Amino acid sequence: MKAICTTCGVQYAESRNVPDYCRICADERQYIGLDGQKWTTLDDLRKEYKTNIQVEEPGITSLWMEPRFGIGQRAFLIETRAGNVLWDCVSLVDQATIEYVRRLGGISAICISHPHYYTTMIEWSEAFGNAQIYLHRDDAEWVMRPAPCIQFWDGELKNIAGGLRVVRCGGHFAGATVLHRPGTAAGKGSLFSGDTIQVVPDRRFVSFMWSYPNYIPLDAGTVRRIVNAVEPYEFDRIYGAFPKMTVTQDGKESVRRSAERYLRAIAGDSTTPL
Ligand SMILES: [Zn+2]
Ligand SMILES: [Zn+2]
């Protein structure tokens, strides 16, 4: 079987028995559920869950599992003239979704912000012609199902199809990344921010944490590095990791003012310059 952890949704490599525990959930940034380590399989998920598909704007579709499963994040299909990119991932890959995505042209590359969303990335790749998966090498130790379709990249920037670029921010994970989609004639550009720049319920703001479930913040220097990493890029919208968590305007300014507020809070005074 290929066990899937019910707390984070990551799929492990083929084995006779389930692992003793999920390495991603035993890490301080996650947790083992109240009832102890639990496992499922993709076949069982297909019986119990479905995929909610929502068109966010022309060329951008979000996908998430219903009812909520694992961490509860959404993934995005981003269409480009050079092929479609799946940004982040969910554990369920079902026939209805495969057919929907094929009608939009399939998937030519998969990029995932950080290990909490690695989920069943190999299944997604296999469903779409062994699409290449691009992951930052600094998080390679967190891949629980290695495969030849995974390509690790190094450094700060990876250009993907159609003008899309993945930018390493670090913070939440050493290799945590965001995806930038440059503006078109009609738009100013969008940032897909994963967990390292988290859109919060007050959608004029974002936040930055080493662990969200365990409330462990980041230090000032790391927050400044995250903000500086996205500074060269123009973006108005920020599509956060969770369903409906989208900053719809002034995204870049919202990152700046959110960082200023955060740095004031952790410094304990109101004079910390960004
Ligand atoms: Zn897990
Ligand atoms: Zn995370």
Side-chain angles (χ1 to χ4, degrees), residues 5-10 12 22-25 30 37:
C5 169
T6 62
T7 307
C8 73
V10 75
Y12 282 70
C22 174
R23 277 186 51 208
I24 288 175
C25 288
Q30 263 285 108
Q37 179 70 53

Side-chain angles (χ1 to χ4, degrees), residues 22-212:
C22 174
R23 277 186 51 208
I24 288 175
C25 288
D27 174 65
E28 282 189 304
R29 281 163 283 202
Q30 263 285 108
Y31 59 94
I32 306 290
L34 282 176
D35 301 325
Q37 179 70 53
K38 291 277 188 291
W39 304 98
T40 186
T41 63
L42 183 52
D43 282 344
D44 283 345
L45 291 182
R46 284 174 173 149
K47 290 174 201 148
E48 296 163 27
Y49 295 85
K50 65 183 186 65
T51 306
N52 186 301
I53 298 175
Q54 180 168 329
V55 177
E56 299 282 347
E57 59 179 282
I60 298 178
T61 304
S62 61
L63 315 162
W64 67 86
M65 288 175 66
E66 281 187 350
R68 183 192 157 108
F69 174 78
I71 294 174
Q73 78 277 8
R74 56 181 173 174
F76 294 89
L77 187 75
I78 306 168
E79 296 169 50
T80 85
R81 281 191 289 272
N84 301 334
V85 173
L86 182 71
W87 169 250
D88 278 337
C89 205
V90 295
S91 300
L92 178 62
V93 48
D94 58 70
Q95 200 55 39
T97 306
I98 290 170
E99 285 167 15
Y100 184 96
V101 172
R102 281 194 184 138
R103 283 198 295 276
L104 296 178
I107 292 171
S108 51
I110 299 171
C111 304
I112 303 183
S113 60
H114 72 294
H116 289 152
Y117 304 149
Y118 286 174
T119 59
T120 56
M121 58 183 171
I122 308 302
E123 303 280 352
W124 281 86
S125 169
E126 289 176 350
F128 294 97
N130 294 311
Q132 196 89 69
I133 301 173
Y134 297 101
L135 304 179
H136 199 281
R137 192 182 302 280
D138 285 358
D139 293 337
E141 65 179 296
W142 299 105
V143 172
M144 299 301 149
R145 184 182 167 194
C149 60
I150 298 175
Q151 187 180 316
F152 294 105
W153 60 277
D154 302 276
E156 307 306 316
L157 177 69
K158 175 78 182 169
N159 289 305
I160 311 291
L164 303 180
R165 50 175 75 96
V166 180
V167 180
R168 189 259 285 277
C169 289
H172 181 52
F173 272 79
T177 54
V178 297
L179 184 144
H180 180 243
R181 179 193 192 232
T184 59
K188 297 180 191 164
S190 301
L191 197 72
F192 297 78
S193 63
D195 276 357
T196 204
I197 297 175
Q198 189 77 266
V199 177
V200 294
D202 176 355
R203 289 148 344 271
R204 298 168 301 167
F205 287 90
V206 299
S207 195
F208 317 88
M209 297 283 265
W210 194 69
S211 169
Y212 292 93

Side-chain angles (χ1 to χ4, degrees), residues 2 20-21 53 58 90 101 115 127 150 158 182 190 193 228 255-256 260 263:
K2 297 187 190 78
D20 291 338
Y21 61 89
I53 298 175
V90 295
V101 172
I150 298 175
K158 175 78 182 169
S190 301
S193 63
N228 289 339
V255 172
R256 287 199 197 105
E260 285 168 12
L263 294 173

Side-chain angles (χ1 to χ4, degrees), residues 236-250:
D236 206 35
R237 285 194 177 204
I238 306 174
Y239 287 104
F242 295 95
K244 305 186 196 302
M245 290 293 112
T246 303
V247 176
T248 54
Q249 58 183 13
D250 296 330

